[in-house]
């Protein structure tokens, strides 16, 4: 009996040392909130990597880093990528088959998730570009700022995003060229029940808006369908350096949508209906195609103030990591998203922008079919 206890102790110590070695190796490569559930026949790795827009790239990168680890091939390995300090789902390392976390996995994560110890101070550089075309005297009017912001985790799923906005050029409006605060907000992300995602934000946003924003999305990530709703109340604000001007917060918006993954060339159709950002009521249809490193979409919209169409795209900005130490990282943004609409006068079916991707855009990259497609391409 005594010898059996000693053997179990050595097995436990061996697993613990292996887990610490894996954590140390991955931390150096930019992974954060590393939590490892290591058993004799399996390994479950919880992690976050804020440099990657697509979670498959973080899983593939982790696999490349760990492929030389001794005895790792004997384990049943599961990847559990995190987003804003919360779990999204579980992917098998071999097949990338998806399933939601079970009660044991959720409890293990809750006990080991430490928002104060498990993250670097992470600073992000990204551009803000607003353009208008077509005026005879000034055919190309634009406002271009560079934002330096950071996200501080305050509690599980709860974070504060803030930073500074550095004006580069402005021929669009009279906001001026003074240094000012970037959009800053409290943000809460959670998945209280499997496949039910919530995002709540309060603060200052893009489009010169401040207020409250709530998103809900039902997305079974092994399914071709998802449904969502976004709504809130906002008002207009403007910063001139340290000078602040605002109007009453009385603009309500609410938009419901349904998205279908067609199965054809990694495209999705998304129909949105409701009252949009500038109180116009109507509908918008998006056709979205996913590429390994980018996303491109076409859209058409009609509301009670007009009709429009255009395109949008999203991708990670080069070079990603600029500077990384044990407790500090400076990088470019994981997602730069920009949209062009041919109707530059009337704000038809404008979508609301907060300081992170909307749930539909984020969860699209976690879909099992998309992850498996990328895996097959990399294995060819």
């Amino acid at each position: 009996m005594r010898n059996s206890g000693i053997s179990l102790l050595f097995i436990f110590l061996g697993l613990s040392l292996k887990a610490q070695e894996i954590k140390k190796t991955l931390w150096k490569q930019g992974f954060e909130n590393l939590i490892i559930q290591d058993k004799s026949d399996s390994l479950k790795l919880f992690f976050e990597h804020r440099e990657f827009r697509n979670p498959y790239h973080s899983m593939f990168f982790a696999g490349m880093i760990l492929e030389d680890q001794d005895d790792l091939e004997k384990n049943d390995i599961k990847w559990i990528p995190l987003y804003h300090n919360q779990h999204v789902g579980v992917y098998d390392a071999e097949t990338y088959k998806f399933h939601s976390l079970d009660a044991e996995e959720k409890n293990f994560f809750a006990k080991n998730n430490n928002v104060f110890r498990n993250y670097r101070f992470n600073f992000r550089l990204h551009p803000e570009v607003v353009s208008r075309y077509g005026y005879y005297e000034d055919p190309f009017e634009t406002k271009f700022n560079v934002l330096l912001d950071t996200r501080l985790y305050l509690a599980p799923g709860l974070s504060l995003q803030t930073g500074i906005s550095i004006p580069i050029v402005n021929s669009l409006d009279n906001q001026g060229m003074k240094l000012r605060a970037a959009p800053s907000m409290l943000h809460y992300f959670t998945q209280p029940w499997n496949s039910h995602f919530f995002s709540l934000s309060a603060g200052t946003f893009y489009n010169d808006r401040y207020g409250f924003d709530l998103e809900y999305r039902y997305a079974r990530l092994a399914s071709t369908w998802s449904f969502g709703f976004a709504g809130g109340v906002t008002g207009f604000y403007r910063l001139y350096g340290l000078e602040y001007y605002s109007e009453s917060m009385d603009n309500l918006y609410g938009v419901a949508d349904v998205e279908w993954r067609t199965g054809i060339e990694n495209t999705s159709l998304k129909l949105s209906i409701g009252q949009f950002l500038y109180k116009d009521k109507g509908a918008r249809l998006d056709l979205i195609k996913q590429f390994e490193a980018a996303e491109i979409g076409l859209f058409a919209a009609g509301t009670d103030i007009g009709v429009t169409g255009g395109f949008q795209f999203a991708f990670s900005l080069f070079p990603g990591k600029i500077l990384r130490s044990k407790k500090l990282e400076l990088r470019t943004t994981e997602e730069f998203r920009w949209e062009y609409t041919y109707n530059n006068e009337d704000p038809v079916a404008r979508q609301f922008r907060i300081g992170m991707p909307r749930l539909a855009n984020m969860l699209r990259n976690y879909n099992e079919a998309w992850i498996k497609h990328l895996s097959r391409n990399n294995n060819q």
Side-chain angles (χ1 to χ4, degrees), residues 13 202 249 274 306 321 349 374 379:
L13 289 174
M249 191 172 63
K321 181 195 75 172
L374 294 175
N379 288 331

Side-chain angles (χ1 to χ4, degrees), residues 288-312:
I288 303 158
K289 178 171 175 58
Q290 290 173 278
F291 297 89
E292 183 169 349
E295 180 177 286
I296 297 176
L298 303 174
F299 70 89
T303 69
D304 52 12
I305 64 172
V307 296
T308 192
F311 65 88
Q312 63 171 319

Side-chain angles (χ1 to χ4, degrees), residues 274-297:
Q275 179 164 291
F276 292 89
L277 182 59
Y278 294 100
K279 296 184 177 181
D280 53 323
K281 300 177 181 67
R284 167 173 165 150
L285 181 65
D286 287 81
L287 173 64
I288 303 158
K289 178 171 175 58
Q290 290 173 278
F291 297 89
E292 183 169 349
E295 180 177 286
I296 297 176

Side-chain angles (χ1 to χ4, degrees), residues 108-126:
F108 180 81
F109 175 71
K111 290 178 181 178
N112 292 276
N113 180 27
N114 189 314
V115 298
F116 303 108
R117 266 198 332 229
N118 294 353
Y119 287 94
R120 292 177 174 87
F121 289 104
N122 193 289
F123 295 91
R124 179 179 68 159
L125 281 167
H126 58 112

Side-chain angles (χ1 to χ4, degrees), residues 128-135 138-145 169-177 180 207-208 238 338 344-345 350:
E128 178 189 14
V129 183
V130 183
S131 300
R132 183 167 59 199
Y133 307 92
Y135 281 97
D138 191 352
F140 180 68
E141 297 173 293
T142 186
K143 180 164 66 174
F144 176 53
N145 304 320
V169 64
N170 185 6
S171 59
L172 182 68
D173 58 33
N174 63 351
Q175 190 168 15
M177 299 295 290
R180 53 186 174 266
N207 311 99
D208 298 323
R238 183 62 65 85
W338 192 78
N344 290 307
E345 287 297 318
R350 290 283 175 87

Side-chain angles (χ1 to χ4, degrees), residues 337-349:
R337 183 173 291 271
W338 192 78
E339 181 174 292
Y340 169 77
T341 174
Y342 83 82
N343 186 336
N344 290 307
E345 287 297 318
D346 298 316
V348 178

Side-chain angles (χ1 to χ4, degrees), residues 30-188:
F31 290 83
E32 299 175 288
N33 206 6
L34 291 155
I35 302 170
I36 297 176
Q37 190 175 18
D38 195 356
K39 299 179 180 179
S40 59
D41 61 346
S42 66
L43 182 144
K44 295 176 183 177
L45 181 60
F46 299 77
F47 62 83
E48 193 164 350
H49 201 305
R50 289 187 269 182
E51 185 179 328
F52 295 113
R53 176 177 170 272
N54 194 315
Y56 170 75
H57 293 148
S58 63
M59 292 185 276
F60 180 74
F61 188 34
M64 289 180 59
I65 294 169
L66 298 180
E67 64 182 357
D68 296 328
Q69 292 284 324
D70 294 338
D71 299 325
L72 201 57
E73 69 277 359
K74 296 191 303 185
N75 289 295
D76 176 22
I77 303 175
K78 306 292 185 185
W79 305 127
I80 307 178
L82 307 175
Y83 180 77
H84 288 182
N85 188 247
Q86 293 294 286
H87 53 76
V88 176
V90 183
Y91 297 85
D92 181 83
E94 288 293 325
T95 65
Y96 288 98
K97 183 175 177 59
F98 171 88
H99 70 79
S100 297
L101 276 72
D102 59 31
E104 179 193 2
E105 292 162 339
K106 290 178 181 178
N107 289 335
F108 180 81
F109 175 71
K111 290 178 181 178
N112 292 276
N113 180 27
N114 189 314
V115 298
F116 303 108
R117 266 198 332 229
N118 294 353
Y119 287 94
R120 292 177 174 87
F121 289 104
N122 193 289
F123 295 91
R124 179 179 68 159
L125 281 167
H126 58 112
E128 178 189 14
V129 183
V130 183
S131 300
R132 183 167 59 199
Y133 307 92
Y135 281 97
Y136 179 77
E137 293 181 359
D138 191 352
F140 180 68
E141 297 173 293
T142 186
K143 180 164 66 174
F144 176 53
N145 304 320
V146 173
L147 278 63
L148 174 65
D149 63 15
T150 187
R151 180 177 300 278
L152 302 174
Y153 290 102
L154 308 176
L158 178 65
S159 60
L160 170 65
Q161 178 175 306
T162 188
I164 58 172
S165 177
I166 306 167
I168 304 300
V169 64
N170 185 6
S171 59
L172 182 68
D173 58 33
N174 63 351
Q175 190 168 15
M177 299 295 290
K178 293 181 179 179
L179 197 71
R180 53 186 174 266
S184 302
M185 70 215 68
L186 279 171
H187 177 70
Y188 182 61

